[in-house]
Amino acid sequence: QSVLTQPPSVSGAPGQRVTISCTGSSSNIGAGYDVHWYQQLPGTAPKLLIYGNNNRPSGVPDRFSGSKSGTSASLAITGLQAEDEADYYCQSYDSSLSGVLFGGGTKLTVL
Amino acid sequence: QLQLQESGPGLVKPSETLSLTCTVSGGSISSSSYDWGWIRQPPGKGLEWIGRIYYSGSTYYKPSLKSRVTIFVDTSKNQFSLKLTSVTAADTAVYYCARLQGGYDGWFDPWGQGTQVTVSS
């Protein structure tokens, strides 16, 4: 099935560590395709956060990290800050769809 | 620094055609290293990939939209465009254009700021 599943919401206190999961299948993440992550602050366009599973673009703090295993991927945010409150999306390629697939998005709330 | 800017009507009537253009500045759309894509986001919902185009004109569309979507490129203007026919209220969304790098399983960066399109009579 061509779906990337993310939890609708996660939360954490300032300074804590949170993780956001992205669960796929054998036609996308499990097939070896790369996973990318985006951060979308309210009212703005998505911004690339992690590319190629675990690479940070220039300017993205090392508090953000990505990993991938089997049919799933995860985004970890350490040292949580108020400015991290945003929506986060994973993205991969799906061979059944022959195209790009986005996860449903996860809203991060900083308590 | 590469920048993308969407433009087009903000209001489209049901059954008509939505037309948007993405103007690329600070770099060439003809670079062989990149594809160019359209993504949309309905109000309060997540991101949906619409399609992508290579500078040579090769296109790939989301299967469920394929019958209504056309993406084309104008290298002389450094622009690429989206046409979506027979629109309904379900096509109301913020539409983004973005550069796709890293191949077919690559990532979108940068993105345009997005343009709101509302389908209503």
Side-chain angles (χ1 to χ4, degrees):
Chain A
Q1 190 176 4
S2 303
V3 174
L4 296 179
T5 301
Q6 298 180 234
S9 64
V10 297
S11 62
Q16 285 190 333
R17 177 181 187 270
V18 297
T19 61
I20 298 173
S21 61
C22 176
T23 302
S25 65
S26 58
S27 63
N28 41 69
I29 299 175
Y33 297 114
D34 284 343
V35 178
H36 320 293
W37 292 90
Y38 302 88
Q39 177 193 60
Q40 187 176 33
L41 298 170
T44 68
K47 167 194 164 187
L48 179 68
L49 203 59
I50 298 287
Y51 68 95
N53 306 315
N54 55 15
N55 300 288
R56 282 187 312 276
S58 174
V60 173
D62 60 6
R63 302 187 296 105
F64 295 89
S65 63
S67 63
K68 179 184 130 177
S69 179
T71 58
S72 295
S74 289
L75 173 71
I77 309 172
T78 59
L80 208 55
Q81 299 180 3
E83 67 203 49
D84 299 332
E85 192 160 283
D87 293 325
Y88 292 84
Y89 294 90
C90 61
Q91 176 230 317
S92 188
Y93 178 87
D94 189 278
S95 57
S96 297
L97 193 64
S98 293
V100 172
L101 198 56
F102 284 99
T106 298
K107 182 176 181 59
L108 169 63
T109 300
V110 180
L111 302 171
Chain B
Q1 181 181 353
L2 192 80
Q3 291 185 318
L4 291 82
Q5 178 69 58
E6 306 89 350
S7 59
L11 181 64
V12 182
K13 290 182 167 55
S15 79
E16 294 191 345
T17 297
L18 179 161
S19 297
L20 297 174
T21 294
C22 182
T23 301
V24 178
S25 58
S28 174
I29 201 169
S30 299
S31 171
S32 60
S33 301
Y34 308 113
D35 285 36
W36 305 89
W38 286 98
I39 303 102
R40 69 181 181 179
Q41 185 171 33
K45 296 188 178 180
L47 302 170
E48 178 185 23
W49 174 69
I50 298 171
R52 76 177 204 268
I53 187 167
Y54 192 52
Y55 82 98
S56 63
S58 300
T59 53
Y60 305 87
Y61 303 130
K62 182 176 182 178
S64 61
L65 296 173
K66 190 173 183 179
S67 63
R68 299 194 293 130
V69 172
T70 303
I71 298 176
F72 55 96
V73 65
D74 186 337
T75 55
S76 67
K77 295 182 179 179
N78 227 31
Q79 296 175 333
F80 63 104
S81 300
L82 168 72
K83 286 193 182 298
L84 182 65
T85 63
S86 304
V87 297
T88 69
D91 296 309
T92 293
V94 175
Y95 285 74
Y96 297 100
C97 60
R99 183 180 67 179
L100 177 66
Q101 53 184 312
Y104 58 87
D105 68 337
W107 58 95
F108 292 101
D109 181 59
W111 295 59
Q113 66 183 31
T115 188
Q116 172 70 48
V117 177
T118 300
V119 178
S120 175
S121 56

